[in-house]
Amino acid sequence: MAKVAFLGLGVMGGPMAGHLAKKGHDVTVYNRTTPKAEAWVKAHGGAFAATPREAVAGAEIVFACVGNDDDLRSVVLGDDGALAGMAAGSVFVDHTTASAEVARELAEVAKAKGLGFIDAPVSGGQAGAENGVLTVMCGGEPATYAKVEAAIGAFARACRLMGPVGSGQLTKMVNQICIAGLVQGLSEGVHFAKRAGLDVEAVLDVISKGAAGSWQMENRGKTMNQGKFDFGFAVDWMRKDLGILLDEARRNGAKLPVSALVDQFYAEVQAMGGNRWDTSSLVARLER
């Protein structure tokens, strides 16, 4: 068991930190809103700190899961940032879905201070975090990854080193590219089945057993048909992720016409007031 710190206690970070505590790790947490940190400690034990620098004191591994590149820089850099308080040889593990560019930037700063850095975005959503079954895609040095793999296992069912720093974020971009197309296709299928007068749930039940089957169909098909969109991963977050991957595609020359189109469709959902609806709400724009 390790002494660890966890920075960011949102819908993902809070449960992830909780699993670390359940596995017996000595956990100190930090959150921008102190009441949330206090509530976490009341539920899980451990301790909370007023700044990232204070939270990481003595930690062998520092985990973070915040909103975006700028949020990440705010908890990592500066006099009160995590890197200012970490001991040489310790490792920073970033679970934020951010750009590969910021991962490489922060890894260089960490290296200059004698610290390890792993970019480790996750897939599985709020339910995956709560149930401890996330998929974690990592970038970094093999020796550094070896120091943190076991601890990540507290909240992951799959964890793999994908290559050097930035590779985890790039892999997460591939994940989001694939999901965007799947959700749009499923939305169109549900919409078509309704217009055709079919029993939508019966259709989903039978085709999910064949080549069309997917996690999205199994877990979101029925709720899409029912117009329920309160299952965690929000449209605002998906648009952030799509923005990151489309920026990366402009840099590397990848052609992502479907992802770009789905990003526009999510913008329409936002205009409908669906910012906090989950990503399956793509069907709502078809049902208007």
Side-chain angles (χ1 to χ4, degrees):
M1 297 299 104
K3 180 172 174 54
V4 305
F6 207 106
L7 314 178
L9 300 174
V11 296
M12 300 295 289
M16 292 161 73
H19 285 294
L20 287 164
K22 289 175 186 175
K23 291 292 185 180
H25 296 289
D26 180 2
V27 186
T28 300
V29 298
Y30 164 79
N31 197 71
R32 283 184 297 185
T33 55
T34 301
K36 186 173 286 188
E38 292 174 332
W40 187 93
V41 170
K42 185 176 181 179
H44 301 284
F48 71 92
T51 67
R53 180 173 184 164
E54 292 174 22
V56 306
E60 301 164 58
I61 307 170
V62 176
F63 298 92
C65 190
V66 293
N68 55 37
D69 287 21
D70 289 339
D71 292 335
L72 184 58
R73 290 186 181 98
S74 75
V75 299
V76 173
L77 303 175
D79 291 342
D80 286 329
L83 297 187
M86 292 173 64
S90 58
V91 181
F92 189 95
V93 180
D94 176 35
H95 292 300
T96 308
T97 295
S99 68
E101 186 177 19
V102 78
R104 298 183 189 111
E105 170 196 329
L106 297 179
E108 284 300 312
V109 178
K111 184 178 180 181
K113 293 177 175 289
L115 307 171
F117 186 96
I118 297 288
D119 59 292
V122 304
S123 179
Q126 184 176 348
E130 291 172 352
N131 295 319
V133 292
L134 293 169
T135 295
V136 187
M137 302 146 269
C138 299
E141 294 297 323
T144 305
Y145 173 75
K147 292 181 179 180
V148 302
E149 183 179 21
I152 291 173
F155 46 77
R157 66 176 172 186
C159 182
R160 182 167 179 173
L161 182 65
M162 305 307 298
V165 168
S167 299
Q169 296 295 352
L170 292 170
T171 303
K172 178 62 184 287
M173 293 177 207
V174 175
N175 186 81
Q176 301 305 75
I177 290 166
C178 295
I179 288 175
L182 280 171
V183 177
Q184 177 60 21
L186 180 58
S187 298
E188 292 182 14
V190 169
H191 175 64
F192 179 90
K194 283 185 177 181
R195 288 301 181 96
L198 294 169
D199 180 331
V200 178
E201 292 198 9
V203 170
L204 293 172
D205 183 64
V206 70
I207 69 172
S208 68
K209 308 300 192 296
S214 67
W215 186 97
Q216 295 292 339
M217 184 176 289
E218 289 280 357
N219 291 274
R220 294 291 176 266
K222 290 181 180 179
T223 55
M224 289 167 75
N225 181 45
Q226 296 163 359
K228 297 178 180 178
F229 310 122
D230 56 351
F231 297 95
F233 194 71
V235 168
D236 282 350
W237 303 339
M238 186 61 164
R239 286 216 72 206
K240 180 208 76 171
D241 291 0
L242 288 169
I244 289 170
L245 66 89
L246 290 169
D247 284 345
E248 187 66 34
R250 282 187 278 272
R251 282 191 285 270
N252 68 22
K255 299 175 178 65
L256 304 178
V258 172
S259 298
L261 186 59
V262 173
D263 182 50
Q264 294 176 36
F265 292 162
Y266 277 123
E268 292 181 32
V269 175
Q270 288 176 318
M272 293 167 60
N275 303 66
R276 304 300 293 182
W277 294 348
D278 73 71
T279 51
S280 68
S281 60
L282 276 178
V283 73
R285 61 174 289 279
L286 302 175
E287 304 273 302
R288 287 178 295 181

